[in-house]
Amino acid sequence: MTDTMAAAGPVPAGPGGRSLLVGAALFAVCAVAVMAGARYGLLLALGVGFGITLEGLRFGFAGPWRAMILRREPAGLLAQLLAIALVAVVAIPLLAAHPAELTGAHAPVGWSMVGGAFVFGICMQLVLGCGSGTLVNAGSGNAVAAVALPFFAVGSFLGAYNIDWWNGFGLAPLVVLSGTSGLAVTLAGLAAVALLAVWLGVPGGARLPRRLWIAAAALAALALLNLVVAGQPWGVVYGLGLWAAKGAVAMGADLSGSAFWSAPAQVERLRESVLTDVTSLTNIGMIAGAVGVSLWRGGLGTAVPGLPARAWIAAIVSGLLLGYSSRLAFGCNVGAFFSGISTGSLHGWVWFVAAFAGSWLGIRLRPGLGLEGPR
């Protein structure tokens, strides 16, 4: 790229290039539908939709938390709460009506869960991305995310490998907010957090731009479709760990020492194609959606930042810890916070508090690790 082109910024793809992008996406969805079944092709399409929404409308999880902590700008966090509320209004009654066909993102609260969420909050601010954010950022050409992503997958695999040992420190009984009363409590909790964010925020900071209204509605619609088609809520972490586990098995690793990976359901999943794993398909779709948006804008392949060696080491370690800690915490911003709260799991609320506290610390660690300063 010449200096003139760089100064002018990315050049959007022309009509021909954009038609090619749409055609490639449709071809991929149809190919998966033919090879694995219509349900799996639809899940890939939903993943592409997630990626387009997150990247195209600049909707994220880690960034809005950073904006609230650093600048007391609550708009992004409010959009997240709105999307969760929209999903909850439909998902909680739907789960109650179809308990045999649909499952929620329900998990118990425990010491390792709280600690995992706190560590996840730290690390997602170091790499400026949560689970979905790392996938989307890597797909859009972010070098730090691209470095962190494979280590995220390895960390998820390792966290699942010995999760039973960590759970031995103690788990509370599972608490699920279900039915009409559960929905009321969930909506009241979301409203309380929203009011607190508005009260703490800067004057006028609670006004949501049009793109965030659209993104919240789109994300909620996609999440509900994912619940109905997959039979489970939107998630990220399991799929990444499965990819690393498949790689380990391909290299001859024996996973029989892990209660998690040696369980019959996981053994079967390891034998099957990733094209039949619902979380893998939406993850792949998110990356593809982000790639498509970036190519549409003409901005794929951003320059590699000139960071010191310790910053790249921090990205690698953070990627590992993101994956490992999210397994202990039973999910990331998507699986625990977004899907957990929207399907009535108490652990989603506890995860939110612990991860938000971790984000506060992670933001303050960035300058000392050679990463760009807090913003």
Side-chain angles (χ1 to χ4, degrees):
M1 178 181 292
T2 65
D3 292 340
T4 302
M5 292 172 63
V11 179
R18 290 177 172 177
S19 297
L20 185 62
L21 287 173
V22 174
L26 291 174
F27 176 81
V29 169
C30 291
V32 171
V34 170
M35 291 186 291
R39 173 174 177 251
Y40 298 107
L42 182 53
L43 284 167
L44 178 62
L46 290 174
V48 172
F50 282 124
I52 291 173
T53 300
L54 294 170
E55 174 65 19
L57 295 173
R58 302 188 303 281
F59 186 103
F61 291 95
W65 290 20
R66 188 166 63 255
M68 183 66 200
I69 292 170
L70 285 176
R71 302 185 296 275
R72 295 190 297 126
E73 296 174 355
L77 175 58
L78 294 175
Q80 295 172 12
L81 299 174
L82 173 61
I84 292 172
L86 291 173
V87 175
V89 167
V90 178
I92 292 179
L94 198 61
L95 289 167
H98 301 276
E101 296 90 357
L102 305 176
T103 59
H106 303 152
V109 174
W111 293 111
S112 58
M113 184 242 113
V114 174
F118 180 77
V119 172
F120 187 91
I122 295 173
C123 295
M124 79 173 185
Q125 295 300 341
L126 297 182
V127 301
L128 300 184
C130 56
S132 60
T134 302
L135 289 168
V136 169
N137 290 342
S140 64
N142 182 286
V144 173
V147 168
L149 181 57
F151 293 97
F152 194 132
V154 172
S156 176
F157 160 65
L158 294 175
Y161 190 94
N162 54 15
I163 190 172
D164 284 359
W165 183 84
W166 284 102
N167 288 342
F169 285 96
L171 293 174
L174 181 66
V175 177
V176 178
L177 306 172
S178 59
T180 303
S181 61
L183 176 58
V185 171
T186 297
L187 294 179
L190 292 168
V193 174
L195 289 173
L196 178 62
V198 171
W199 179 63
L200 294 174
V202 294
R207 185 177 296 108
L208 272 64
R210 183 168 176 266
R211 67 173 176 84
L212 288 183
W213 286 103
I214 296 172
L219 210 62
L222 289 166
L224 286 169
L225 285 171
N226 187 92
L227 175 62
V228 172
V229 175
Q232 65 185 47
W234 179 29
V236 170
V237 176
Y238 174 80
L240 295 176
L242 180 65
W243 300 352
K246 281 181 172 291
V249 170
M251 291 187 290
D254 179 9
L255 305 186
S256 61
S258 167
F260 181 89
W261 291 115
S262 63
Q266 304 307 327
V267 171
E268 181 180 1
R269 182 58 59 204
L270 286 168
R271 290 173 179 165
E272 294 177 348
S273 167
V274 293
L275 297 182
T276 60
D277 177 60
V278 297
T279 310
S280 291
L281 282 169
T282 49
N283 284 352
I284 293 168
M286 274 191 281
I287 296 174
V291 170
V293 170
S294 297
L295 290 175
W296 189 284
R297 294 169 171 165
L300 188 64
T302 56
V304 176
L307 301 175
R310 68 179 184 277
W312 294 109
I313 294 172
I316 291 171
V317 173
S318 295
L320 277 170
L321 289 176
L322 279 170
Y324 196 96
S325 63
S326 59
R327 289 306 299 164
L328 303 190
F330 303 116
C332 61
N333 294 67
V334 169
F337 173 55
F338 187 96
S339 294
I341 292 177
S342 65
T343 60
S345 183
L346 177 65
H347 100 284
W349 289 102
V350 178
W351 190 99
F352 172 51
V353 174
F356 204 89
S359 289
W360 183 90
L361 178 58
I363 288 170
R364 281 148 183 81
L365 291 175
R366 283 179 57 81
L369 293 172
L371 298 162
E372 55 186 275
R375 52 190 174 91

